């Protein structure tokens, strides 16, 4: 059992404290929502964290705000009163991983960050966030945690790898960096689908140790999608198609369909692309996640 109360809220964010009422845990884990998340009291990692008996703080952002409306000062002032005497951890994936690092230093947290990315940051700004002013300081300009961060990522994912190398490691050169080739951007999801995420994170929080991890490969749709992307980038189209096709067989989704359909288009196999996208629509009930430009090129109404 746990009690919950909102400890801070404004237009751009909501911070909710979930207190474990059954066990006096000496640990509190703060997690952060990813890019598609909204202002909610629970989100990424909440159920897992509470199931482990830890106190928990969920830091939610206004949808598509990229945490730019939550200043470091407002964050620290809001959470510090409930952290006294606790071992503090920040935890997130993608945008949430960026936030775990950015805010984690101000509360001297153990940082667990998987594929950190903020698409409003100048080094990786996407068209979707061109209108959004980046209000945060660089990591080199904000408080630094005295603890060694744990950073997880796929080294073949360039955007987050560049961010880690150019922005995180210069500030935290002693980071424990774990690379998971072809795990994709959602490394934690890949660990979960391989059945090792819960044990991996729980062991790290409990003991500071990283257990050996063996991810699925040949029977993982994520692995095949990432291999397909790798070979497509390196212009080995035949091998790329083989991996994307295997991924679709294992679990049809917007990622493998988009990759394979684009390959078919580039290879002038237009009917194969149309058939694949039609199969995807029949399987999912929509064309969500498929590029409107690709659909238009194939003569498919979105």
């Amino acid at each position: 059992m746990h009690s919950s109360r909102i400890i801070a809220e404004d237009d751009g964010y909501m911070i909710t404290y979930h207190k474990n009422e059954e066990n006096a845990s000496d640990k509190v884990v703060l997690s952060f929502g990813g890019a598609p998340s909204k202002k909610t009291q629970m989100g990424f990692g909440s159920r897992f964290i509470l199931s482990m008996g830890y106190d928990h703080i969920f830091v939610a952002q206004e949808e598509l705000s990229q945490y730019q409306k939550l200043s470091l000062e407002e964050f620290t002032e809001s959470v510090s009163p409930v952290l006294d005497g606790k071992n503090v951890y920040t935890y997130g994936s993608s945008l949430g991983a960026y936030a775990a690092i950015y805010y984690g230093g101000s509360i001297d947290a153990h940082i667990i960050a998987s594929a950190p990315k903020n698409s409003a940051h100048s080094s990786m700004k996407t068209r979707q966030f061109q209108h959004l002013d980046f209000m945060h300081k660089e990591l080199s300009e904000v408080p630094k945690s005295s603890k060694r961060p744990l950073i997880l990522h796929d080294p073949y994912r360039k955007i987050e790898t560049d961010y880690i190398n150019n922005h995180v490691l210069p500030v935290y050169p002693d980071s424990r960096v774990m690379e998971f080739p072809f795990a994709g951007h959602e490394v934690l999801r890949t660990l979960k689908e391989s059945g090792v995420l819960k044990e991996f994170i729980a062991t790290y929080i409990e003991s500071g140790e990283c257990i050996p991890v063996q991810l699925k490969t040949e029977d993982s749709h994520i692995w095949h999608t990432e291999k397909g992307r790798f070979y497509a980038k390196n212009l080995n189209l035949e091998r790329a198609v083989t991996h994307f096709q295997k991924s679709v067989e294992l679990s049809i989704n917007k990622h493998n369909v988009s990759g394979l359909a684009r390959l078919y288009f580039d290879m002038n196999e237009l009917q194969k692309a149309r058939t694949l996208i039609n199969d995807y629509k029949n399987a999912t009930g929509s064309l969500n996640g498929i590029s409107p430009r690709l659909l238009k090129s194939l003569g498919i109404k979105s």
Side-chain angles (χ1 to χ4, degrees), residues 73-104:
E73 293 74 22
E74 290 168 323
F75 168 81
T76 306
E77 182 179 339
S78 300
V79 304
S80 292
V82 298
L83 302 181
D84 189 41
K86 299 283 190 179
N87 288 314
V88 182
Y89 295 78
T90 55
Y91 177 46
S93 173
S94 191
L95 173 63
Y98 161 86
I101 299 169
Y102 183 78
Y103 296 108

Side-chain angles (χ1 to χ4, degrees), residues 237-256:
L237 303 189
E238 184 177 343
R239 295 192 73 173
V241 166
T242 298
H243 281 289
F244 274 121
Q245 288 174 336
K246 181 61 177 178
S247 180
V248 169
E249 291 174 9
L250 289 167
S251 177
I252 191 168
N253 57 66
K254 64 182 181 182
H255 302 294
N256 50 34

Side-chain angles (χ1 to χ4, degrees), residues 178-197:
M178 297 188 68
E179 296 184 342
F180 297 93
F182 306 115
H185 178 60
E186 298 179 271
V187 175
L188 297 181
R189 179 182 169 213
T190 305
L191 265 66
K192 182 177 181 180
E193 293 198 1
S194 293
V196 297
L197 177 62

Side-chain angles (χ1 to χ4, degrees), residues 141-264:
E141 301 172 331
V142 300
K144 176 184 174 182
S145 176
S146 66
K147 279 82 173 182
R148 181 187 184 194
L150 173 62
I151 311 294
L152 316 175
H153 76 114
D154 178 347
Y156 293 105
R157 282 284 183 152
K158 178 175 172 55
I159 292 176
E160 50 264 42
T161 298
D162 285 349
Y163 183 75
I164 291 166
N165 290 334
N166 297 331
H167 296 273
V168 180
L169 294 184
V171 176
Y172 291 103
D174 63 338
S175 294
R176 173 177 280 182
V177 179
M178 297 188 68
E179 296 184 342
F180 297 93
F182 306 115
H185 178 60
E186 298 179 271
V187 175
L188 297 181
R189 179 182 169 213
T190 305
L191 265 66
K192 182 177 181 180
E193 293 198 1
S194 293
V196 297
L197 177 62
K198 184 173 182 179
E199 183 182 6
F200 180 84
I201 297 298
T203 301
Y204 184 77
I205 292 175
E206 285 296 319
S207 68
E209 298 297 321
C210 293
I211 63 172
V213 170
Q214 185 67 46
L215 297 183
K216 294 180 179 179
T217 54
E218 291 295 338
D219 55 350
S220 165
H221 67 92
I222 298 172
W223 185 82
H224 282 289
T225 293
E226 296 304 317
K227 292 283 279 190
R229 284 177 172 157
F230 172 79
Y231 284 120
K233 183 178 179 181
N234 287 279
L235 302 181
N236 190 332
L237 303 189
E238 184 177 343
R239 295 192 73 173
V241 166
T242 298
H243 281 289
F244 274 121
Q245 288 174 336
K246 181 61 177 178
S247 180
V248 169
E249 291 174 9
L250 289 167
S251 177
I252 191 168
N253 57 66
K254 64 182 181 182
H255 302 294
N256 50 34
V257 169
S258 293
L260 183 54
R262 189 171 299 281
L263 276 176
Y264 284 150

